[in-house]
Amino acid sequence: MPVHLPAQNRRQFLFTLGAGFVTCSTGLLAAEQKTQQSDIVYLLNDTHIGEKHPPKSPIPTHLREIVTELVELPQKPACVLINGDLALRDGQPGDYRHFASLIQPLQEAKIDTHLTLGNHDERDVFYEVMQEQRPSAPPVKSRHISVVQTKFANFFLLDSLHKTMVTQGTLGKEQRSWLANALDAHADKPAIIVTHHNPRLGGDPVHFPGGLTDSEELWELLVSRPQVKAYIHGHIHDRGNAQHKGIHILNTPATSYVANPDHSTTGWTIAQLTPTGVTLTTRTNIEDHAWNRQTKTLTWR
């Protein structure tokens, strides 16, 4: 499963779904409902935290700013999803120790936080640092997959990491099979796919070579299930949205750095869900950037 840092006072359970486990929230207590916005999910990706980053350098500062905003909110979001490339380059132990210290306030504030891994991460090293997060029986060998349930949508967290420091990603037949079963078992709400790599479908073809190698096979699986509404990815360190066969493809900004600051910037995304769609609000680390607080509403197919 992906790494989960659940709020300590949330009641959670694990149950078997075919070949794997699904992590679910069983609902909030009445007191919690007053302090949580159950329709809000924060989306982050590409944090690229390094062991030797000075505390005041841009990359850890960007993540720290987001964490600070979250813990100071009067109403907390349903959850936070951090979608891969947690570590700076190749997943060194010190990178994960630094990352863990930066997101520790989220756990202290009882904000459910779910992490996946990208091509700059290293699974074994990650679990050496956060040993309690190592799954005893992964649903798919060497993959980190689960379902995160929220009020208006189910988020299917996939693992597209093929190999550390290899740009392309892949899901593989076994993971796609698990996904098909999981989607069929959770057809009651809109389904949103979350994985680090961009699909090689729709959008800007410049990025296709570094994306998901089995995009076509995945899309065949997704399109045939009408509950699937969107695919969220990072990896590109930019912002954009496209659509392929009715499914929205959402490229969310990196929190760490961008390749070309003239065309992009760092930030995060706030997703406000409804039964029929989502409103995305871009937040940027540069307060007066043109993207900051821009919104875009998407309607589900």
Side-chain angles (χ1 to χ4, degrees):
M1 285 177 284
V3 177
H4 302 285
L5 304 177
Q8 294 177 354
N9 66 340
R10 301 284 169 79
R11 293 171 296 167
Q12 296 190 324
F13 65 95
L14 297 175
F15 67 91
T16 302
L17 174 65
F21 292 102
V22 179
T23 303
C24 302
S25 173
T26 62
L28 300 177
L29 301 174
E32 291 179 283
Q33 292 175 348
K34 297 178 181 179
T35 60
Q36 187 192 62
Q37 291 180 289
S38 59
D39 59 339
I40 299 292
V41 173
Y42 269 58
L43 305 171
L44 288 67
N45 51 269
D46 297 279
T47 55
H48 286 284
I49 300 300
E51 176 182 14
K52 297 181 180 179
H53 279 136
K56 294 184 179 180
S57 62
I59 290 178
T61 297
H62 293 164
L63 179 56
R64 190 182 301 110
E65 288 174 352
I66 302 168
V67 170
T68 298
E69 173 174 307
L70 279 160
V71 299
E72 292 179 353
L73 290 173
Q75 288 185 296
K76 304 302 188 284
C79 64
V80 176
L81 307 180
I82 306 181
N83 191 18
D85 279 0
L86 311 178
L88 176 61
R89 185 173 182 273
D90 56 358
Q92 294 298 310
D95 300 345
Y96 294 120
R97 285 192 292 267
H98 193 180
F99 174 81
S101 69
L102 288 166
I103 66 168
Q104 180 64 28
L106 298 177
Q107 193 169 20
E108 294 171 354
K110 300 178 181 179
I111 298 173
D112 286 346
T113 303
H114 306 271
L115 316 177
T116 64
L117 303 180
N119 54 295
H120 288 280
D121 291 306
E122 213 293 329
R123 293 184 187 92
D124 290 341
V125 175
F126 181 88
Y127 286 117
E128 287 174 8
V129 176
M130 301 183 73
Q131 297 180 16
E132 72 281 4
Q133 303 301 334
R134 184 190 294 271
S136 58
V140 177
K141 185 178 180 180
S142 298
R143 297 287 184 170
H144 304 274
I145 53 182
S146 72
V147 180
V148 177
Q149 296 181 315
T150 70
K151 181 178 180 180
F152 293 123
N154 295 320
F155 290 82
F156 293 77
L157 277 59
L158 305 182
D159 184 345
S160 59
L161 170 58
H162 171 60
K163 188 176 181 181
T164 304
M165 293 295 290
V166 172
T167 304
Q168 294 83 2
T170 188
L171 297 178
K173 184 177 180 179
E174 188 176 1
Q175 185 174 187
R176 295 196 310 270
S177 177
W178 177 90
L179 176 61
N181 291 332
L183 286 168
D184 292 342
H186 292 78
D188 59 320
K189 294 179 185 177
I192 300 174
I193 308 302
V194 179
T195 193
H196 181 70
H197 285 80
N198 59 290
R200 296 180 178 183
L201 302 163
D204 185 351
V206 170
H207 301 300
F208 290 176
L212 199 66
T213 61
D214 49 354
S215 298
E216 293 283 356
E217 295 88 341
L218 172 65
W219 231 255
E220 182 178 352
L221 180 161
L222 300 181
V223 170
S224 65
R225 291 167 170 82
Q227 71 269 33
V228 178
K229 310 300 185 184
Y231 179 107
I232 296 174
H233 69 90
H235 189 49
I236 295 175
H237 292 236
D238 199 357
R239 182 189 74 159
N241 66 82
Q243 200 174 127
H244 188 69
K245 296 186 177 180
I247 298 173
H248 295 283
I249 301 172
L250 310 177
N251 174 23
T252 53
T255 69
S256 53
Y257 60 86
V258 295
N260 189 339
D262 293 333
H263 296 102
S264 188
T265 191
T266 59
W268 64 103
T269 306
I270 303 171
Q272 183 169 18
L273 295 151
T274 71
T276 59
V278 63
T279 295
L280 303 169
T281 300
T282 300
R283 294 295 310 281
T284 63
N285 297 102
I286 301 173
E287 183 64 30
D288 60 354
H289 194 276
W291 289 0
N292 199 26
R293 303 183 190 278
Q294 280 188 356
T295 64
K296 186 175 183 65
T297 299
L298 305 175
T299 302
W300 300 147
R301 64 168 176 162

